[in-house]
Amino acid sequence: MSDQTRTLDDVMKQIDEQFDGSVERLSDLLRLESVSTDPAHDKQTADCAEFCAEMLRSIGFEAEAVVTSGHPMVVAEHPFHVASHEGALPLLARLLC
């Protein structure tokens, strides 16, 4: 078993230990005025996308807020190790803010 393999108990313990910080980050995100259906909030929507990208970068992802013809999109990639495979597999996470 690799060092990166965790048991469910390990994961639940980490969730408990980081709960308050997670709620704080979620609260920060929810305070952003980013009503994407209202063009008056275009700047705030872009700010929200950058906020999400920064949150992902803070946990090891390579992330960027991408300008599109519509709403901004956050694209992030994080290598992770799968015990049954050699090396790392890329994980592409797309979050729409």
Side-chain angles (χ1 to χ4, degrees), residues 1-12 14 80-85 87:
M1 191 173 329
S2 96
D3 292 337
Q4 295 181 6
T5 303
R6 295 186 171 185
T7 67
L8 180 57
D9 288 339
D10 293 334
V11 172
M12 296 306 291
Q14 185 173 355
F80 67 98
H81 181 76
V82 176
S84 62
H85 296 315

Side-chain angles (χ1 to χ4, degrees), residues 59-80:
I59 60 171
F61 282 78
E62 293 178 13
E64 66 178 312
V66 178
V67 176
T68 71
S69 61
H71 302 300
M73 177 176 67
V74 175
V75 178
E77 188 172 24
H78 191 281
F80 67 98

Side-chain angles (χ1 to χ4, degrees), residues 6-46:
R6 295 186 171 185
T7 67
L8 180 57
D9 288 339
D10 293 334
V11 172
M12 296 306 291
K13 180 181 177 188
Q14 185 173 355
I15 289 170
D16 288 342
E17 289 171 354
Q18 297 179 359
F19 183 79
D20 291 340
S22 296
V23 170
E24 185 176 331
R25 285 188 300 278
L26 177 60
S27 296
D28 291 344
L29 176 62
L30 294 175
R31 276 192 284 278
L32 296 174
E33 295 181 21
S34 60
V35 181
S36 64
T37 57
D38 184 348
H41 290 285
D42 283 353
K43 182 185 180 326
Q44 291 91 342
T45 301

